[in-house]
């Protein structure tokens, strides 16, 4: 059986992935060959696609595909391909190390918003020595949208340093004894947002969550709130976000994801004084852990985990 590494990777990323995967395959599935897009492989021999958001239609060209293994945790773009081969399971990366990295990014962003460190960075650029008032963590309410692997890890990390943490999901979740106050459904959102100092978005992108963070959502926040988007750009109506920043409703936004990536050079977010831009780097897949799945498949010690999301 052959494997195809397919999708959006730049040359350096592709070579890094190829090296890790090839080493894992040599131990786990000797004889299996690993191919990359653009090479002259036999499409009928490909049984597994290692997928980094391949363009729609590419997987359809592999007639004997048995499994699609996403390199990434979010599979919204894979699932949006109308030509996905029916019956072929799609698994996504589920890695506690990735959830921990996401929780670190959420914690950094919330701390910086709560303590006004972004404002101090702006003042440094102006050589302005000016102290602002300081609040305790337990005076700050953080709402985490989405309580999947990453959302829960972030919510628990924030709770562990003393923030008042609320979690919101579209559908109700069973209660848990972990300090996170759970809310569910669209009706719960306005009151929850009105009480939130910071909102951290870690929702999956689905038709129900696309565009959720719009003028109405932002208008429900208290004046001076902070927004941290670590999920998908399409959750946010970018023009509404800019209006909320310029109108003062939002004091700061920390954005890791955008409607168009890489963020175009002329985009207003790059230059906005109260937007912090990250290059979709809040939690990266570690190729060694993904390759560990292949070792596991061959009986070796697996280091990552995967989860079936579609079949
Ligand atoms: C990153 O956004 C991922 O889906 O892994």
């Amino acid at each position: 059986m052959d494997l195809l590494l397919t999708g959006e990777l730049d040359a350096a990323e592709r070579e890094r992935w190829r090296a890790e995967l090839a080493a894992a395959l040599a131990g786990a599935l000797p004889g299996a060959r690993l191919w990359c897009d653009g090479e002259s492989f036999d499409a009928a021999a490909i049984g597994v696609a290692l997928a980094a958001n391949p363009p729609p239609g590419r997987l359809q060209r592999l007639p004997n595909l048995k499994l699609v293994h996403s390199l990434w945790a979010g599979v919204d773009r894979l699932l949006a391909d109308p030509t996905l081969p029916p019956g072929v399971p799609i698994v996504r990366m589920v890695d506690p190390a990735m959830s921990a990295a996401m929780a670190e990014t959420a914690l950094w962003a919330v701390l910086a918003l709560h303590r006004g460190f972004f404002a101090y960075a702006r003042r440094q650029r102006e050589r302005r020595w000016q102290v602002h008032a300081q609040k305790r963590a337990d005076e700050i309410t953080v709402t985490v949208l989405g309580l999947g692997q990453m959302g829960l890890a972030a919510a628990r990390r924030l709770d562990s340093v003393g923030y008042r943490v609320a979690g919101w999901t579209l559908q109700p979740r069973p209660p848990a004894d972990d300090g996170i106050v759970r809310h569910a459904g669209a009706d719960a959102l306005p009151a929850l947002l009105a009480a939130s100092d910071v909102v951290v978005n870690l929702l999956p992108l689905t038709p129900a969550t696309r565009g959720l963070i719009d003028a109405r959502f932002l208008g429900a926040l208290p004046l001076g709130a902070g927004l941290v988007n670590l999920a998908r750009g399409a959750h946010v109506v970018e023009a509404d976000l800019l209006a909320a920043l310029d109108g003062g409703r939002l004091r700061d936004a920390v954005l890791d994801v955008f409607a168009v990536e890489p963020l175009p050079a002329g985009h207003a977010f790059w230059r906005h004084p109260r937007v912090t831009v990250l290059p979709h780097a809040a939690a990266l897949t570690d190729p060694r852990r993904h390759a560990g799945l292949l070792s596991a498949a061959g009986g070796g010690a697996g280091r990552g985990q995967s989860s079936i999301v579609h079949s």
Side-chain angles (χ1 to χ4, degrees):
M1 179 196 60
D2 288 4
L3 297 88
L4 176 66
L5 179 57
T6 177
E8 290 172 354
L9 294 171
D10 66 28
E13 283 174 321
R14 194 181 58 232
E15 287 321 307
R16 184 158 174 246
W17 275 95
R18 193 208 290 268
E20 290 292 347
L21 293 166
L25 279 174
L29 299 168
R33 283 173 302 180
L34 176 65
W35 300 96
C36 291
D37 288 335
E39 296 173 343
S40 47
F41 55 86
D42 172 9
I46 303 293
V48 176
L50 303 165
N53 288 330
R58 184 162 301 162
L59 299 176
Q60 189 189 31
R61 292 188 221 141
L62 306 170
N64 294 316
L65 199 58
K66 305 278 182 299
L67 178 71
V68 178
H69 202 304
S70 172
L71 267 46
W72 316 138
V75 287
D76 42 286
R77 284 178 56 194
L78 263 178
L79 296 180
D81 179 352
T83 69
L84 273 183
V88 178
I90 297 180
V91 300
R92 70 186 189 96
M93 235 357 233
V94 178
D95 181 354
M98 263 177 102
S99 306
M102 188 60 92
E104 287 163 5
T105 305
L107 177 58
W108 158 77
V110 170
L111 268 170
L113 291 168
H114 151 212
R115 294 290 308 279
F117 293 139
F118 294 122
Y120 283 135
R122 288 193 285 275
R123 284 176 207 163
Q124 178 180 353
R125 289 193 284 276
E126 297 161 9
R127 300 181 200 189
R128 191 146 60 95
W129 183 280
Q130 186 195 337
V131 173
H132 49 236
Q134 181 179 306
K135 282 188 172 175
R136 299 189 313 269
D138 67 1
E139 297 176 289
I140 303 292
T141 298
V142 183
T143 294
V144 178
L145 306 176
L147 291 175
Q149 308 276 339
M150 303 236 183
L152 205 49
R156 288 181 173 156
R157 181 66 67 87
L158 291 162
D159 174 69
S160 76
V161 298
Y163 291 110
R164 292 194 297 236
V165 182
W168 181 83
T169 50
L170 264 176
Q171 304 301 330
R173 297 280 171 115
D177 190 17
D178 59 3
I180 318 298
V181 185
R182 286 160 170 76
H183 304 260
D187 292 349
L189 215 39
L192 186 58
L193 294 175
S196 302
D197 298 292
V198 181
V199 173
V200 178
N201 179 33
L202 279 164
L203 284 165
L205 182 65
T206 66
T209 62
R210 181 177 289 273
L212 178 78
I213 302 176
D214 61 2
R216 198 158 62 126
F217 179 107
L218 295 162
L221 290 166
L223 278 178
L227 176 72
V228 182
N229 188 16
L230 307 177
R232 286 291 181 259
H235 284 126
V236 173
V237 179
E238 291 186 342
D240 292 357
L241 174 55
L242 281 165
L245 282 160
D246 292 338
R249 171 70 51 185
L250 273 188
R251 179 169 304 130
D252 279 282
V254 179
L255 306 175
D256 183 51
V257 286
F258 304 90
V260 177
E261 293 180 11
L263 187 62
H267 199 291
F269 287 152
W270 279 119
R271 298 167 64 85
H272 199 290
R274 285 180 289 110
V275 174
T276 298
V277 169
L278 299 176
H280 202 138
L284 302 178
T285 303
D286 182 341
R288 292 166 301 175
R289 295 177 71 92
H290 192 278
L293 294 171
L294 296 180
S295 305
R303 286 169 287 169
Q305 298 171 25
S306 57
S307 155
I308 295 198
V309 289
H310 179 266
S311 64

